[in-house]
Amino acid sequence: MNDIDLYRYLDLNKKVQIDPEGYLVKQSDWDHSVAALLAADEGLALTEEHWELIRVARDFYTRYEMAPAMRPLVKATKQALGEEKGRSVYLMRLFPGSPPKRLARIAGLPKPTNCL
C-alpha cells in the first residue's frame, strides 16, 4: 500500500486530499468552500456562529503556529467573542464530540496537540 491509498478526496475533481482522520493534506487547499465541504463531511451545516469560531481558531494558529487544544480554545474564544461564547458548553454545542479536533479539521488546520 502506498501513501496515496491512505488519503481520500473531499471533492469530485480530486483536488482536495484529506488524511484518514479528515484533516487537509495541504493546508493551502483551504478556503471557505473547502470549509463548507469539510463541515458537510462532518455532518455540520456552518452558521455564522461556526464561522466566528473558525476565525478564532485560524487567528490562534497564525499567532502560535499550532491548532488550539480545548483550554486554549476556550480562552481564545472568550477573549475574542466574550464570556458567553468562551465556554466549553458553547463549543460542544457547535462542534459536538471533540470541539478542538472538529474545529481544526473544518478550519483547515493540523490536528491539535494533546487531542486523542
Side-chain angles (χ1 to χ4, degrees):
M1 180 188 271
N2 60 32
D3 286 344
I4 296 296
D5 296 333
L6 298 176
Y7 303 118
R8 63 185 175 97
Y9 292 95
L10 191 59
D11 62 334
L12 295 175
N13 298 328
K14 294 192 172 189
K15 291 185 178 176
V16 181
Q17 256 187 337
I18 55 177
D19 71 15
E21 292 187 88
Y23 295 90
L24 289 177
V25 172
K26 291 188 284 183
Q27 288 182 16
S28 61
D29 285 343
W30 190 89
D31 63 21
H32 284 79
S33 62
V34 169
L37 288 171
L38 288 162
D41 194 55
E42 296 254 340
L44 295 174
L46 297 178
T47 65
E48 183 51 38
E49 292 175 311
H50 291 96
W51 283 109
E52 286 179 332
L53 293 172
I54 289 168
R55 286 189 289 273
V56 167
R58 290 185 64 81
D59 288 347
F60 185 99
Y61 184 79
T62 298
R63 184 172 293 142
Y64 301 107
E65 297 182 2
M66 60 187 281
M70 190 62 163
R71 284 186 179 179
L73 178 59
V74 169
K75 184 176 180 181
T77 302
K78 189 179 295 183
Q79 289 174 342
L81 305 175
E83 192 75 34
E84 187 64 32
K85 292 181 179 181
R87 297 175 39 211
S88 57
V89 173
Y90 180 77
L91 299 173
M92 290 289 288
R93 182 173 62 79
L94 291 171
F95 296 94
S98 175
K101 285 172 58 175
R102 293 186 93 184
L103 183 53
R105 275 189 213 113
I106 294 167
L109 305 175
K111 184 178 178 179
T113 54
N114 302 327
C115 284
L116 302 174

